[in-house]
PDB file of all heavy atoms in Angstrom:
ATOM      1  N   CYS A  80     -11.093   7.906 -13.932  1.00  0.00           N
ATOM      2  CA  CYS A  80     -11.661   9.216 -13.582  1.00  0.00           C
ATOM      3  C   CYS A  80     -13.161   9.097 -13.282  1.00  0.00           C
ATOM      4  O   CYS A  80     -13.662   9.660 -12.301  1.00  0.00           O
ATOM      5  CB  CYS A  80     -11.449  10.206 -14.723  1.00  0.00           C
ATOM      6  SG  CYS A  80      -9.710  10.576 -15.068  1.00  0.00           S
ATOM      7  N   GLU A  81     -13.871   8.321 -14.117  1.00  0.00           N
ATOM      8  CA  GLU A  81     -15.321   8.161 -13.936  1.00  0.00           C
ATOM      9  C   GLU A  81     -15.640   7.452 -12.623  1.00  0.00           C
ATOM     10  O   GLU A  81     -16.597   7.801 -11.932  1.00  0.00           O
ATOM     11  CB  GLU A  81     -15.930   7.450 -15.145  1.00  0.00           C
ATOM     12  CG  GLU A  81     -16.018   8.360 -16.369  1.00  0.00           C
ATOM     13  CD  GLU A  81     -16.138   7.635 -17.700  1.00  0.00           C
ATOM     14  OE1 GLU A  81     -16.103   6.377 -17.703  1.00  0.00           O
ATOM     15  OE2 GLU A  81     -16.245   8.308 -18.735  1.00  0.00           O
ATOM     16  N   ASN A  82     -14.835   6.474 -12.240  1.00  0.00           N
ATOM     17  CA  ASN A  82     -15.027   5.806 -10.947  1.00  0.00           C
ATOM     18  C   ASN A  82     -15.062   6.828  -9.811  1.00  0.00           C
ATOM     19  O   ASN A  82     -15.916   6.778  -8.937  1.00  0.00           O
ATOM     20  CB  ASN A  82     -13.901   4.804 -10.678  1.00  0.00           C
ATOM     21  CG  ASN A  82     -14.007   3.546 -11.509  1.00  0.00           C
ATOM     22  OD1 ASN A  82     -15.057   3.234 -12.084  1.00  0.00           O
ATOM     23  ND2 ASN A  82     -12.907   2.813 -11.583  1.00  0.00           N
ATOM     24  N   ALA A  83     -14.125   7.769  -9.859  1.00  0.00           N
ATOM     25  CA  ALA A  83     -14.026   8.775  -8.799  1.00  0.00           C
ATOM     26  C   ALA A  83     -15.227   9.708  -8.798  1.00  0.00           C
ATOM     27  O   ALA A  83     -15.621  10.225  -7.750  1.00  0.00           O
ATOM     28  CB  ALA A  83     -12.744   9.569  -8.947  1.00  0.00           C
ATOM     29  N   MET A  84     -15.828   9.895  -9.990  1.00  0.00           N
ATOM     30  CA  MET A  84     -16.997  10.777 -10.091  1.00  0.00           C
ATOM     31  C   MET A  84     -18.289  10.028  -9.792  1.00  0.00           C
ATOM     32  O   MET A  84     -19.348  10.629  -9.663  1.00  0.00           O
ATOM     33  CB  MET A  84     -17.026  11.445 -11.478  1.00  0.00           C
ATOM     34  CG  MET A  84     -15.817  12.342 -11.703  1.00  0.00           C
ATOM     35  SD  MET A  84     -15.716  12.996 -13.386  1.00  0.00           S
ATOM     36  CE  MET A  84     -16.958  14.261 -13.290  1.00  0.00           C
ATOM     37  N   ILE A  85     -18.190   8.708  -9.685  1.00  0.00           N
ATOM     38  CA  ILE A  85     -19.338   7.888  -9.269  1.00  0.00           C
ATOM     39  C   ILE A  85     -19.327   7.735  -7.740  1.00  0.00           C
ATOM     40  O   ILE A  85     -20.328   7.972  -7.080  1.00  0.00           O
ATOM     41  CB  ILE A  85     -19.302   6.499  -9.950  1.00  0.00           C
ATOM     42  CG1 ILE A  85     -19.568   6.637 -11.451  1.00  0.00           C
ATOM     43  CG2 ILE A  85     -20.295   5.532  -9.299  1.00  0.00           C
ATOM     44  CD1 ILE A  85     -19.144   5.417 -12.265  1.00  0.00           C
ATOM     45  N   TYR A  86     -18.159   7.355  -7.203  1.00  0.00           N
ATOM     46  CA  TYR A  86     -18.079   7.060  -5.773  1.00  0.00           C
ATOM     47  C   TYR A  86     -18.139   8.324  -4.912  1.00  0.00           C
ATOM     48  O   TYR A  86     -18.833   8.349  -3.902  1.00  0.00           O
ATOM     49  CB  TYR A  86     -16.784   6.298  -5.458  1.00  0.00           C
ATOM     50  CG  TYR A  86     -16.630   6.011  -3.982  1.00  0.00           C
ATOM     51  CD1 TYR A  86     -17.253   4.912  -3.401  1.00  0.00           C
ATOM     52  CD2 TYR A  86     -15.912   6.880  -3.162  1.00  0.00           C
ATOM     53  CE1 TYR A  86     -17.150   4.676  -2.046  1.00  0.00           C
ATOM     54  CE2 TYR A  86     -15.807   6.655  -1.800  1.00  0.00           C
ATOM     55  CZ  TYR A  86     -16.425   5.554  -1.242  1.00  0.00           C
ATOM     56  OH  TYR A  86     -16.340   5.335   0.114  1.00  0.00           O
ATOM     57  N   ASN A  87     -17.394   9.354  -5.321  1.00  0.00           N
ATOM     58  CA  ASN A  87     -17.305  10.580  -4.513  1.00  0.00           C
ATOM     59  C   ASN A  87     -18.384  11.591  -4.886  1.00  0.00           C
ATOM     60  O   ASN A  87     -18.736  11.714  -6.052  1.00  0.00           O
ATOM     61  CB  ASN A  87     -15.917  11.211  -4.709  1.00  0.00           C
ATOM     62  CG  ASN A  87     -14.803  10.256  -4.362  1.00  0.00           C
ATOM     63  OD1 ASN A  87     -14.556   9.984  -3.199  1.00  0.00           O
ATOM     64  ND2 ASN A  87     -14.160   9.703  -5.382  1.00  0.00           N
ATOM     65  N   LYS A  88     -18.874  12.319  -3.880  1.00  0.00           N
ATOM     66  CA  LYS A  88     -19.899  13.351  -4.124  1.00  0.00           C
ATOM     67  C   LYS A  88     -19.269  14.551  -4.832  1.00  0.00           C
ATOM     68  O   LYS A  88     -18.084  14.815  -4.659  1.00  0.00           O
ATOM     69  CB  LYS A  88     -20.523  13.791  -2.790  1.00  0.00           C
ATOM     70  CG  LYS A  88     -21.234  12.656  -2.046  1.00  0.00           C
ATOM     71  CD  LYS A  88     -22.518  12.223  -2.740  1.00  0.00           C
ATOM     72  CE  LYS A  88     -23.144  11.000  -2.096  1.00  0.00           C
ATOM     73  NZ  LYS A  88     -23.003   9.793  -2.966  1.00  0.00           N
ATOM     74  N   PRO A  89     -20.067  15.279  -5.618  1.00  0.00           N
ATOM     75  CA  PRO A  89     -19.527  16.412  -6.399  1.00  0.00           C
ATOM     76  C   PRO A  89     -18.769  17.468  -5.607  1.00  0.00           C
ATOM     77  O   PRO A  89     -17.895  18.143  -6.143  1.00  0.00           O
ATOM     78  CB  PRO A  89     -20.774  17.008  -7.051  1.00  0.00           C
ATOM     79  CG  PRO A  89     -21.723  15.859  -7.141  1.00  0.00           C
ATOM     80  CD  PRO A  89     -21.480  15.025  -5.918  1.00  0.00           C
ATOM     81  N   ASP A  90     -19.080  17.613  -4.311  1.00  0.00           N
ATOM     82  CA  ASP A  90     -18.424  18.671  -3.521  1.00  0.00           C
ATOM     83  C   ASP A  90     -17.135  18.195  -2.857  1.00  0.00           C
ATOM     84  O   ASP A  90     -16.557  18.909  -2.045  1.00  0.00           O
ATOM     85  CB  ASP A  90     -19.393  19.215  -2.462  1.00  0.00           C
ATOM     86  CG  ASP A  90     -19.732  18.149  -1.411  1.00  0.00           C
ATOM     87  OD1 ASP A  90     -19.522  16.955  -1.697  1.00  0.00           O
ATOM     88  OD2 ASP A  90     -20.180  18.532  -0.301  1.00  0.00           O
ATOM     89  N   THR A  91     -16.659  16.998  -3.220  1.00  0.00           N
ATOM     90  CA  THR A  91     -15.424  16.484  -2.607  1.00  0.00           C
ATOM     91  C   THR A  91     -14.191  16.813  -3.454  1.00  0.00           C
ATOM     92  O   THR A  91     -14.303  17.012  -4.672  1.00  0.00           O
ATOM     93  CB  THR A  91     -15.502  14.951  -2.469  1.00  0.00           C
ATOM     94  OG1 THR A  91     -15.636  14.384  -3.778  1.00  0.00           O
ATOM     95  CG2 THR A  91     -16.682  14.533  -1.604  1.00  0.00           C
ATOM     96  N   ILE A  92     -13.032  16.815  -2.802  1.00  0.00           N
ATOM     97  CA  ILE A  92     -11.775  17.106  -3.516  1.00  0.00           C
ATOM     98  C   ILE A  92     -11.488  16.029  -4.559  1.00  0.00           C
ATOM     99  O   ILE A  92     -10.919  16.320  -5.617  1.00  0.00           O
ATOM    100  CB  ILE A  92     -10.572  17.224  -2.538  1.00  0.00           C
ATOM    101  CG1 ILE A  92     -10.428  15.986  -1.647  1.00  0.00           C
ATOM    102  CG2 ILE A  92     -10.673  18.504  -1.737  1.00  0.00           C
ATOM    103  CD1 ILE A  92      -9.114  15.954  -0.879  1.00  0.00           C
ATOM    104  N   TYR A  93     -11.918  14.780  -4.271  1.00  0.00           N
ATOM    105  CA  TYR A  93     -11.639  13.684  -5.195  1.00  0.00           C
ATOM    106  C   TYR A  93     -12.458  13.795  -6.472  1.00  0.00           C
ATOM    107  O   TYR A  93     -11.947  13.557  -7.560  1.00  0.00           O
ATOM    108  CB  TYR A  93     -11.872  12.338  -4.504  1.00  0.00           C
ATOM    109  CG  TYR A  93     -11.056  12.199  -3.250  1.00  0.00           C
ATOM    110  CD1 TYR A  93     -11.664  12.109  -2.000  1.00  0.00           C
ATOM    111  CD2 TYR A  93      -9.667  12.197  -3.298  1.00  0.00           C
ATOM    112  CE1 TYR A  93     -10.909  12.016  -0.841  1.00  0.00           C
ATOM    113  CE2 TYR A  93      -8.895  12.105  -2.145  1.00  0.00           C
ATOM    114  CZ  TYR A  93      -9.523  12.013  -0.927  1.00  0.00           C
ATOM    115  OH  TYR A  93      -8.775  11.925   0.219  1.00  0.00           O
ATOM    116  N   TYR A  94     -13.738  14.144  -6.325  1.00  0.00           N
ATOM    117  CA  TYR A  94     -14.605  14.339  -7.486  1.00  0.00           C
ATOM    118  C   TYR A  94     -14.058  15.476  -8.363  1.00  0.00           C
ATOM    119  O   TYR A  94     -13.903  15.326  -9.579  1.00  0.00           O
ATOM    120  CB  TYR A  94     -16.042  14.670  -7.043  1.00  0.00           C
ATOM    121  CG  TYR A  94     -17.041  14.838  -8.169  1.00  0.00           C
ATOM    122  CD1 TYR A  94     -17.944  13.827  -8.472  1.00  0.00           C
ATOM    123  CD2 TYR A  94     -17.082  16.006  -8.935  1.00  0.00           C
ATOM    124  CE1 TYR A  94     -18.870  13.987  -9.499  1.00  0.00           C
ATOM    125  CE2 TYR A  94     -17.992  16.166  -9.968  1.00  0.00           C
ATOM    126  CZ  TYR A  94     -18.888  15.152 -10.237  1.00  0.00           C
ATOM    127  OH  TYR A  94     -19.801  15.304 -11.272  1.00  0.00           O
ATOM    128  N   LYS A  95     -13.732  16.598  -7.713  1.00  0.00           N
ATOM    129  CA  LYS A  95     -13.239  17.772  -8.443  1.00  0.00           C
ATOM    130  C   LYS A  95     -11.908  17.464  -9.136  1.00  0.00           C
ATOM    131  O   LYS A  95     -11.686  17.852 -10.283  1.00  0.00           O
ATOM    132  CB  LYS A  95     -13.106  18.968  -7.496  1.00  0.00           C
ATOM    133  CG  LYS A  95     -14.461  19.509  -7.039  1.00  0.00           C
ATOM    134  CD  LYS A  95     -14.314  20.552  -5.936  1.00  0.00           C
ATOM    135  CE  LYS A  95     -15.682  20.925  -5.343  1.00  0.00           C
ATOM    136  NZ  LYS A  95     -15.528  21.697  -4.098  1.00  0.00           N
ATOM    137  N   ALA A  96     -11.039  16.731  -8.440  1.00  0.00           N
ATOM    138  CA  ALA A  96      -9.742  16.361  -9.027  1.00  0.00           C
ATOM    139  C   ALA A  96      -9.952  15.439 -10.227  1.00  0.00           C
ATOM    140  O   ALA A  96      -9.271  15.569 -11.250  1.00  0.00           O
ATOM    141  CB  ALA A  96      -8.870  15.684  -7.979  1.00  0.00           C
ATOM    142  N   ALA A  97     -10.921  14.518 -10.107  1.00  0.00           N
ATOM    143  CA  ALA A  97     -11.202  13.572 -11.197  1.00  0.00           C
ATOM    144  C   ALA A  97     -11.727  14.294 -12.425  1.00  0.00           C
ATOM    145  O   ALA A  97     -11.330  14.016 -13.551  1.00  0.00           O
ATOM    146  CB  ALA A  97     -12.205  12.527 -10.726  1.00  0.00           C
ATOM    147  N   LYS A  98     -12.614  15.266 -12.202  1.00  0.00           N
ATOM    148  CA  LYS A  98     -13.218  16.008 -13.311  1.00  0.00           C
ATOM    149  C   LYS A  98     -12.132  16.783 -14.062  1.00  0.00           C
ATOM    150  O   LYS A  98     -12.061  16.760 -15.289  1.00  0.00           O
ATOM    151  CB  LYS A  98     -14.287  16.963 -12.783  1.00  0.00           C
ATOM    152  CG  LYS A  98     -15.156  17.595 -13.864  1.00  0.00           C
ATOM    153  CD  LYS A  98     -16.287  18.404 -13.282  1.00  0.00           C
ATOM    154  CE  LYS A  98     -17.101  19.067 -14.397  1.00  0.00           C
ATOM    155  NZ  LYS A  98     -18.033  20.094 -13.848  1.00  0.00           N
ATOM    156  N   LYS A  99     -11.239  17.402 -13.291  1.00  0.00           N
ATOM    157  CA  LYS A  99     -10.155  18.198 -13.877  1.00  0.00           C
ATOM    158  C   LYS A  99      -9.164  17.276 -14.598  1.00  0.00           C
ATOM    159  O   LYS A  99      -8.725  17.554 -15.720  1.00  0.00           O
ATOM    160  CB  LYS A  99      -9.445  18.982 -12.759  1.00  0.00           C
ATOM    161  CG  LYS A  99      -8.616  20.140 -13.230  1.00  0.00           C
ATOM    162  CD  LYS A  99      -8.141  20.992 -12.035  1.00  0.00           C
ATOM    163  CE  LYS A  99      -7.051  21.956 -12.470  1.00  0.00           C
ATOM    164  NZ  LYS A  99      -6.136  22.319 -11.356  1.00  0.00           N
ATOM    165  N   LEU A 100      -8.847  16.137 -13.980  1.00  0.00           N
ATOM    166  CA  LEU A 100      -7.914  15.180 -14.570  1.00  0.00           C
ATOM    167  C   LEU A 100      -8.478  14.612 -15.871  1.00  0.00           C
ATOM    168  O   LEU A 100      -7.768  14.500 -16.880  1.00  0.00           O
ATOM    169  CB  LEU A 100      -7.611  14.048 -13.584  1.00  0.00           C
ATOM    170  CG  LEU A 100      -6.675  12.941 -14.075  1.00  0.00           C
ATOM    171  CD1 LEU A 100      -5.305  13.504 -14.456  1.00  0.00           C
ATOM    172  CD2 LEU A 100      -6.534  11.861 -13.017  1.00  0.00           C
ATOM    173  N   LEU A 101      -9.781  14.283 -15.867  1.00  0.00           N
ATOM    174  CA  LEU A 101     -10.422  13.734 -17.068  1.00  0.00           C
ATOM    175  C   LEU A 101     -10.321  14.729 -18.211  1.00  0.00           C
ATOM    176  O   LEU A 101      -9.928  14.383 -19.329  1.00  0.00           O
ATOM    177  CB  LEU A 101     -11.888  13.397 -16.772  1.00  0.00           C
ATOM    178  CG  LEU A 101     -12.705  12.840 -17.939  1.00  0.00           C
ATOM    179  CD1 LEU A 101     -12.129  11.515 -18.435  1.00  0.00           C
ATOM    180  CD2 LEU A 101     -14.166  12.650 -17.528  1.00  0.00           C
TER     181      LEU A 101
END
Side-chain angles (χ1 to χ4, degrees):
C80 296
E81 286 159 357
N82 286 343
M84 297 173 77
I85 291 162
Y86 178 83
N87 303 286
K88 298 290 174 251
D90 66 341
T91 61
I92 54 169
Y93 304 115
Y94 182 103
K95 290 171 189 168
K98 191 174 178 192
K99 198 171 167 207
L100 178 60
L101 179 62

